[in-house]
Amino acid sequence: MEESGSSSIGMKRTNLDLNDELGKLVMPGDEFCIPDDSSKVILGPGLRSVIDKPSGELKTIVGCKAGLLRKAKPNTFFLEMKTRSYQSFKKDDVLGIIKQKSKGEHYSIDVACRELRAQLSKNAFEGATKRYRPDLQVGDCIYGKVMDFPKDYPLELTCVQPSGKACGLGSLNGGHIFHVPVHFVRALRTANPKDNLLQKIGKIVPCETAVGANGLVWIKASNAVLTILVSQLLQTLSKANPEEYGTYLNKFNSTVRTVV
Amino acid sequence: MESAASEKHEEGEEEQQQDEDETPYCPFFSNSELFAFMTKERFLREEEIAGVDESSFQFVRPMRAKLSILENPHGSVRFWQGLTCVIAAVYGPSDVRMSKELPHRAAVDVLFRPKVTGSGNMSAMLAAGLMDPLMEERAIEQTVVGILESVIHLEDHVQAGFNVILHEIENDGCLVSACVNATVLALLSAGCSLRNVVCAVTLGVSGDSVVVDPCAKQIQDIQKSMGKDACKSNGLLTFVLTNSHGFVPQILHVSCKGRVLPSELKTCYKLVCSGKIVQEVVRFFYLCISKDLKYSEGNGVEKIEEQVEMEPGEVESSSGDEVDEDGE
């Protein structure tokens, strides 16, 4: 058929170029050709490679979700989309709430993902030994890292980095914990100072924060009223357009002035 | 409330090729009139609906959809196909009951909730000579389950489950295809990984004329003449198609109600395999998702690259940076 360009939207597209399609919408089934230069390409969520069965050679790259094609610095491509469900991935920092404290060696923890409970060893804290280890209670909030286990293993967390230091991981005292959509976490955790929302909020209200990749956010400001205000602001922002962030922050600024 | 688009095929298949290029024949309302009615009467109440202007729908009735209408589900949509309205909600991949867990792939569970339930509705339907409504509901569920099992990458989520809840709001014909379309749109907005985009379309055949996406009244007319003349075809064909294989869509599912003779069946296949109907519906999905993601063709790549640049600093991994596969 002679149709091309925007009129062919809706049909499966083939032989797309990864660099040409950056920032554009990819639908499931859209096929990309493999880049000619032999530089390594890393595929993130939403993209997968199709391997030709008999020869074992890489055939095409196929999009399998509806999202915008994005590129991270060293040749990593992935699809960005709105999602509300978190899928655990190794080395992710997550926030969890202790749901059960058994007599054995583990706490069982709710990390708001598809596996109902994650395990956390009672010894996986900085400086913990069999005799001296932190005694956590049911309902306590912890900031942990997903252990680097093979696929389909039960989910396990740790509160200590491989170096033996905690580096911010561990139990969080006081504050307030709440849920935001998973795609909003990106806006909170980005290292780019221009986009980082938490830095902008921190200039208005100084507060301690911990943002888990699973969409849970922990906030602790100097008093309870400010903590609640910040949490309400973040929940509002998670539903707003990125263009509206500025106006919301200005409003928040004037509200905080009246409270303090 | 009458039809949107219809096509007449009067003299065989050769004629049909030409007919396709002309403006579609519509006996009652033109598409624009129907669209005007829809916007005026009841659709104005919705603040932000991803609707596409009526001119982009030549074959099926104008579609409208609103994404993420519910708080809890991972993906949800309120979907109109003409005046047929369905709400679809998708939870997944999520945990399922032990009894439904499968060791090698995710389970798919679909629940269809009709507008009217209970025995009163059933007796009325039976009196009108229609099928048992409970049976029809199960049939719709099973149709959607079958399609989803072949479309979702189920093998990625072992022992998990996908739950789909469909709620009929208004039935003006083609409920099955509206259910399938709404489900696919909800899956896309939930970020589930699919093999292909699929869509469903219903064709009404009466005599030698074919109506694409008939409304309730046209279906009634077809049903009235069902079984009267053995030499004439009177029936409803529901196709579920993918947008794959270049410009030739693959057929995933066909169901037939009534009698359709081989010559008309051939016409229908030809019409469906031309890919124009699929393109129209999937294009609508594309526009809905792009509106949801705040993406427009005009806003350039430069702006986006700015956002993406990340320094490998304190942030070691965020939900967007997961890397599962290596390719050359």
Side-chain angles (χ1 to χ4, degrees):
Chain A
M1 234 168 254
E2 59 280 349
E3 285 170 281
S4 64
S6 60
S7 63
S8 70
I9 288 175
M11 295 317 288
K12 177 177 175 154
R13 296 173 294 166
T14 48
N15 275 330
L16 295 168
D17 189 87
L18 275 172
N19 284 309
D20 284 358
E21 294 293 309
L22 269 188
K24 291 185 183 169
L25 186 64
V26 176
M27 291 293 266
D30 285 355
E31 285 180 9
F32 296 90
C33 54
I34 296 147
D36 292 329
D37 53 337
S38 55
S39 59
K40 227 180 186 183
V41 171
I42 302 168
L43 302 180
L47 296 170
R48 58 179 70 203
S49 50
V50 177
I51 290 161
D52 199 19
K53 275 280 159 58
S55 62
E57 274 174 29
L58 196 62
K59 222 165 67 180
T60 45
I61 295 165
V62 178
C64 59
K65 288 177 182 178
L68 306 178
L69 187 68
R70 293 287 159 93
K71 185 183 181 182
K73 249 186 182 165
N75 259 352
T76 306
F77 292 92
F78 61 94
L79 294 185
E80 188 191 303
M81 68 213 90
K82 283 191 175 177
T83 164
R84 294 190 195 195
S85 63
Y86 169 68
Q87 280 180 37
S88 64
F89 193 75
K90 56 190 178 188
K91 293 185 193 168
D92 262 358
D93 297 328
V94 293
L95 271 172
I97 296 165
I98 296 179
K99 285 284 165 184
Q100 217 176 56
K101 187 184 160 193
S102 60
K103 278 181 184 165
E105 287 297 294
H106 291 95
Y107 297 109
S108 66
I109 292 174
D110 180 16
V111 286
C113 83
R114 135 170 141 58
E115 289 93 351
L116 278 181
R117 295 282 181 265
Q119 301 238 301
L120 170 66
S121 168
K122 286 182 178 174
N123 291 330
F125 292 92
E126 185 185 335
T129 61
K130 205 142 195 218
R131 290 179 70 189
Y132 299 103
R133 52 194 185 190
D135 182 36
L136 302 178
Q137 301 302 322
V138 172
D140 277 6
C141 174
I142 62 114
Y143 193 40
K145 208 176 182 66
V146 179
M147 294 263 263
D148 194 352
F149 280 169
K151 215 183 158 195
D152 296 336
Y153 267 53
L155 197 61
E156 189 163 341
L157 306 182
T158 173
C159 280
V160 60
Q161 302 280 9
S163 62
K165 291 271 185 275
C167 295
L169 302 179
S171 73
L172 305 167
N173 299 318
H176 178 55
I177 188 166
F178 58 95
H179 206 273
V180 295
V182 176
H183 57 86
F184 185 61
V185 169
R186 247 182 88 79
L188 295 178
R189 293 180 51 134
T190 174
N192 192 345
K194 240 189 346 189
D195 298 331
N196 199 324
L197 270 174
L198 285 177
Q199 270 185 16
K200 286 175 189 164
I201 295 169
K203 277 174 193 160
I204 304 168
V205 180
C207 53
E208 275 185 82
T209 55
V211 183
N214 54 347
L216 284 169
V217 180
W218 174 84
I219 297 274
K220 188 184 180 185
S222 55
N223 61 48
V225 177
L226 286 177
T227 309
I228 297 296
L229 276 176
V230 174
S231 77
Q232 282 177 348
L233 172 74
L234 284 178
Q235 273 165 337
T236 321
L237 287 179
S238 69
K239 286 170 196 157
N241 292 341
E243 298 95 62
E244 296 166 5
Y245 288 173
T247 54
Y248 276 109
L249 284 171
N250 286 339
K251 249 189 225 168
F252 176 70
N253 195 3
S254 52
T255 320
V256 168
R257 287 286 141 76
T258 59
V259 172
V260 179
Chain B
M1 207 45 288
E2 299 314 341
S3 119
S6 63
E7 274 197 277
K8 273 212 160 177
H9 306 279
E10 298 200 332
E11 286 167 46
E13 296 145 24
E14 286 164 54
E15 279 283 316
Q16 185 236 327
Q17 295 286 342
Q18 294 167 4
D19 275 293
E20 269 180 32
D21 296 327
E22 288 171 23
T23 41
Y25 165 79
C26 179
F28 309 104
F29 268 163
S30 71
N31 256 1
S32 55
E33 276 170 341
L34 178 69
F35 198 80
F37 173 80
M38 280 163 65
T39 18
K40 255 183 222 156
E41 292 296 316
R42 60 179 78 194
F43 295 94
L44 265 183
R45 273 178 251 150
E46 296 291 340
E47 308 123 37
E48 195 194 312
I49 305 171
V52 189
D53 65 315
E54 77 274 16
S55 58
S56 62
F57 292 101
Q58 294 194 339
F59 297 93
V60 296
R61 292 175 288 173
M63 287 175 177
R64 316 193 110 212
K66 195 180 182 193
L67 298 176
S68 310
I69 50 160
L70 304 171
E71 273 289 317
N72 283 335
H74 300 149
S76 53
V77 65
R78 189 187 286 128
F79 176 82
W80 282 271
Q81 186 169 332
L83 291 181
T84 305
C85 181
V86 174
I87 286 182
V90 171
Y91 294 85
S94 56
D95 254 26
V96 283
R97 262 178 285 144
M98 279 284 243
S99 57
K100 289 195 173 171
E101 234 175 58
L102 296 170
H104 60 292
R105 65 168 175 85
V108 178
D109 199 17
V110 177
L111 179 72
F112 178 78
R113 307 204 62 207
K115 189 164 69 174
V116 187
T117 50
S119 52
N121 176 40
M122 194 163 133
S123 54
M125 292 281 278
L126 289 173
L130 297 172
M131 278 232 283
D132 180 357
L134 284 175
M135 222 161 77
E136 296 222 2
E137 288 157 23
R138 297 293 94 76
I140 292 174
E141 286 175 9
Q142 287 312 307
T143 312
V144 179
V145 166
I147 292 155
L148 294 191
E149 278 179 350
S150 60
V151 166
I152 305 176
H153 279 284
L154 290 175
E155 69 283 353
D156 286 2
H157 310 286
V158 178
Q159 298 180 339
F162 285 87
N163 285 325
V164 180
I165 292 148
L166 290 162
H167 212 128
E168 171 195 354
I169 303 296
E170 194 83 61
N171 185 1
D172 189 46
C174 305
L175 188 62
V176 183
S177 48
C179 281
V180 173
N181 290 338
T183 311
V184 173
L185 202 47
L187 281 169
L188 288 175
S189 82
C192 297
S193 51
L194 309 180
R195 289 197 169 77
N196 263 313
V197 188
V198 298
C199 68
V201 65
T202 303
L203 304 179
V205 185
S206 108
D208 47 10
S209 71
V210 177
V211 189
V212 182
D213 202 15
C215 67
K217 195 163 185 217
Q218 287 167 320
I219 291 173
Q220 249 178 29
D221 291 343
I222 291 167
Q223 274 171 344
K224 264 181 206 161
S225 46
M226 258 184 206
K228 274 185 186 167
D229 193 345
C231 309
K232 272 191 173 178
S233 46
N234 278 300
L236 290 168
L237 280 164
T238 303
F239 290 90
V240 178
L241 310 132
T242 71
N243 66 343
S244 67
H245 270 227
F247 289 103
V248 185
Q250 284 177 311
I251 296 169
L252 278 185
H253 166 97
V254 188
S255 67
C256 182
K257 216 182 209 181
R259 181 196 290 119
V260 178
L261 297 178
S263 60
E264 268 78 42
L265 192 63
K266 220 172 174 181
T267 322
C268 288
Y269 268 122
K270 257 196 170 171
L271 181 64
V272 154
C273 287
S274 73
K276 283 186 179 171
I277 300 174
V278 185
Q279 187 176 1
E280 196 172 285
V281 179
V282 179
R283 192 185 134 84
F284 168 72
F285 292 168
Y286 183 96
L287 290 170
C288 281
I289 298 290
S290 59
K291 194 164 184 184
D292 193 41
L293 291 173
K294 301 284 183 304
Y295 161 73
S296 61
E297 289 275 359
N299 107 24
V301 184
E302 314 85 35
K303 198 182 162 191
I304 289 144
E305 268 182 351
E306 212 176 84
Q307 288 176 6
V308 168
E309 276 187 318
M310 283 189 297
E311 268 110 341
E314 304 150 17
V315 185
E316 278 193 29
S317 63
S318 70
S319 62
D321 298 342
E322 300 158 13
V323 171
D324 18 273
E325 280 168 279
D326 257 44
E328 211 183 85

